[in-house]
Amino acid sequence: MRKARGRPAFLGFLDEGGRAVLSEALSRRRDVSFAFWGGFSEAERAMLGLFPDYMEADAQAFPIKAVTFSFRPADRPGHRDFLGAMLGLGVERSVVGDILIGEGRCVAFVKAELAPYFAENLPKIGRVGVKARLGAEEPLPVGHTFKEIKGVAASSRLDCLTALAARTSREKAASMVVLGLVQVNHREICSPSARVAEGDVLSIRGHGKYIIDRLGPLTQKGRLSVQCRKYE
């Protein structure tokens, strides 16, 4: 923040939990403006950009570059393979953002100053030969697939929606919440009666992560219809 009083300053890449903590803390400050950006609008890992109060936050100012790795479509290196190879070059996890893998290509968003280093020093990912180049073409590979879940719940309380998502009883769901096994928007919530809203991200340890897409309308029996998506 001291650096950002005179010029933009950047931190990250940050995961969603770190972003939630910083966003809450920075929202109370008036001496800097801030934004998160990961190279594309749906990025999960993103840099924090801090800007002097006389400047607007600008996505173009973030020091982020894409590196595209091409490989044979028959080969199927995974996210762990790419991340492991990149970290194997001796860099910190914070310099690597989202890694999007599609058929025959992978697009990785990285700290701009290290993009040429990755492109020049990764001829293989595991046993798979790759060709690397700077930049990326649209459309980007899909970062996640989802499984749609529909059901009904007694209300929008956290224990009710946890029970629906995890396919368990409301009593068991309430216990999971109290034990700190459930997060809403990447923050631990320990109150079963806490309310969940449309657009919230529900993370249940051991069960996965869900986006709450729709709450309502009420059924004829007065229960709440719910539609959500589970990250695959």
Side-chain angles (χ1 to χ4, degrees), residues 27-112:
S27 64
R28 298 190 290 267
R29 301 294 298 252
R30 295 292 179 266
D31 50 343
V32 294
S33 60
F34 72 96
F36 295 98
W37 180 245
F40 64 109
S41 57
E42 294 84 20
E44 289 191 1
R45 300 187 67 89
M47 283 187 180
L48 166 67
L50 293 164
F51 298 83
D53 55 7
Y54 57 84
M55 290 181 62
E56 292 289 334
D58 180 9
Q60 298 299 318
F62 282 73
I64 298 173
K65 293 288 186 183
V67 181
T68 297
F69 299 92
S70 301
F71 49 89
R72 296 187 310 167
D75 294 323
R76 298 186 179 277
H79 184 281
R80 184 175 299 178
D81 299 314
F82 278 98
L83 180 59
M86 297 172 85
L87 298 186
L89 294 177
V91 301
E92 296 181 353
R93 179 66 180 93
S94 61
V95 306
V96 182
D98 281 22
I99 299 173
L100 309 177
I101 302 174
E103 185 174 347
R105 68 170 176 146
C106 166
V107 177
F109 291 88
V110 301
K111 196 171 182 179

Side-chain angles (χ1 to χ4, degrees), residues 188-201:
E188 185 178 295
I189 304 294
C190 295
S191 171
S193 63
R195 296 289 172 172
V196 179
E198 291 181 353
D200 283 350
V201 176

Side-chain angles (χ1 to χ4, degrees), residues 153-170:
S155 72
S156 62
R157 283 172 49 119
L158 181 55
D159 56 351
C160 296
L161 295 185
T162 298
L164 172 64
R167 306 297 190 188
T168 190
S169 68
R170 184 171 173 181

Side-chain angles (χ1 to χ4, degrees), residues 131-210:
K131 292 183 178 180
R133 62 178 178 82
L134 299 179
E137 295 179 356
E138 298 284 352
L140 296 173
V142 176
H144 289 285
T145 58
F146 299 91
K147 177 182 179 182
E148 187 174 281
I149 297 174
K150 294 181 179 180
V152 294
S155 72
S156 62
R157 283 172 49 119
L158 181 55
D159 56 351
C160 296
L161 295 185
T162 298
L164 172 64
R167 306 297 190 188
T168 190
S169 68
R170 184 171 173 181
E171 292 74 17
K172 178 72 177 295
S175 178
M176 295 165 67
V177 173
V178 171
L179 290 172
L181 303 180
V182 180
Q183 294 183 338
V184 178
N185 297 328
H186 318 293
R187 301 299 303 275
E188 185 178 295
I189 304 294
C190 295
S191 171
S193 63
R195 296 289 172 172
V196 179
E198 291 181 353
D200 283 350
V201 176
L202 188 66
S203 303
I204 307 171
R205 192 179 304 174
H207 293 273
K209 186 164 66 172
Y210 308 78

